[in-house]
Amino acid sequence: AKVLANGTVTGGNAGSITLQAGQKASTADANERTLHIAGAELQGHALGQGGSLSLTAQSVRIGDAPAGAPEASLELQADFFNHGGFANFALDGRQFLTVIEGTGIAPNVSSWLPTASLRHAPTGSALRGMVSEGVSPLKLPQTANLSLSASGLGKESTAGPLSVGTGAQLALGPKAKVDFKAAHTLLF
């Protein structure tokens, strides 16, 4: 962060986090490749633009799975997109990516907001104690972009369907970008 002579606080943009489990190949151990982020605190906050989060797992499910649904190696709830300050999400379920019917995804990008103590902090101070997390009432909210993919397991595999269940909703802000990509089948 930088404090200008007139007391205005400016800051940089967040970076990116990429987590990938396994390889893109159909082998006997494909179902054993997992990405566990439960309990992890992934952060993409900044005083400027929010960060980017890219997660690749063998399979991804967003929403509450109905009884009897195949297990996914990465299970996320819809509110996952409202935490951590990320403005860009890219999710890839190699074998499948499913958004469960009735699931509502409405990302809310939070930022770091400077507190009064930041203006008087000495150079080199830790920023974390001088900011709060939230959405500035003085600026338009940041738009979140979303990319959902089911990239498959190679040319000879039928894995890779991406499905969005009946009644599922994506509520994105103005100028948001959304991408759907499937190696095999795209179902809405």
Side-chain angles (χ1 to χ4, degrees), residues 1-4 6-11 47 114-115 118-119:
K2 180 167 60 173
V3 180
L4 304 177
N6 66 2
T8 302
V9 176
T10 62
L47 290 170
T115 62
L118 182 58
R119 289 186 170 87

Side-chain angles (χ1 to χ4, degrees), residues 146-174:
L146 182 61
S147 174
L148 300 178
S149 302
S151 62
L153 291 174
K155 294 177 184 179
E156 292 152 21
S157 172
T158 59
L162 188 153
S163 61
V164 178
T166 304
Q169 299 177 16
L170 298 175
L172 303 174

Side-chain angles (χ1 to χ4, degrees), residues 93-110:
R94 289 185 174 130
Q95 292 181 356
F96 68 85
L97 187 145
T98 301
V99 179
I100 298 298
E101 64 183 50
T103 300
I105 299 173
N108 181 15
V109 183
S110 60

Side-chain angles (χ1 to χ4, degrees), residues 21-37:
Q23 59 185 351
K24 187 175 179 175
S26 183
T27 59
D29 70 338
N31 289 330
E32 297 172 15
R33 302 176 202 148
T34 59
L35 175 61
H36 295 284
I37 60 169

Side-chain angles (χ1 to χ4, degrees), residues 4-174:
L4 304 177
N6 66 2
T8 302
V9 176
T10 62
N13 298 330
S16 63
I17 297 173
T18 299
L19 301 174
Q20 295 181 349
Q23 59 185 351
K24 187 175 179 175
S26 183
T27 59
D29 70 338
N31 289 330
E32 297 172 15
R33 302 176 202 148
T34 59
L35 175 61
H36 295 284
I37 60 169
E41 190 174 334
L42 304 174
Q43 299 271 329
H45 291 102
L47 290 170
Q49 293 294 311
S52 296
L53 179 61
S54 176
L55 302 175
T56 300
Q58 288 307 100
S59 52
V60 176
R61 179 179 298 113
I62 303 169
D64 292 322
E71 187 176 330
S73 63
L74 179 59
E75 306 240 1
L76 303 172
Q77 295 302 313
D79 69 346
F80 171 80
F81 301 94
N82 297 329
H83 301 287
F86 295 102
N88 298 288
F89 294 92
L91 303 178
D92 182 5
R94 289 185 174 130
Q95 292 181 356
F96 68 85
L97 187 145
T98 301
V99 179
I100 298 298
E101 64 183 50
T103 300
I105 299 173
N108 181 15
V109 183
S110 60
S111 299
W112 278 344
L113 305 173
T115 62
S117 63
L118 182 58
R119 289 186 170 87
H120 307 292
T123 300
S125 296
L127 186 61
R128 190 71 150 146
M130 292 174 274
V131 294
S132 63
E133 182 183 331
V135 177
S136 174
L138 305 175
K139 295 193 268 184
L140 291 174
Q142 289 185 57
T143 298
N145 299 306
L146 182 61
S147 174
L148 300 178
S149 302
S151 62
L153 291 174
K155 294 177 184 179
E156 292 152 21
S157 172
T158 59
L162 188 153
S163 61
V164 178
T166 304
Q169 299 177 16
L170 298 175
L172 303 174

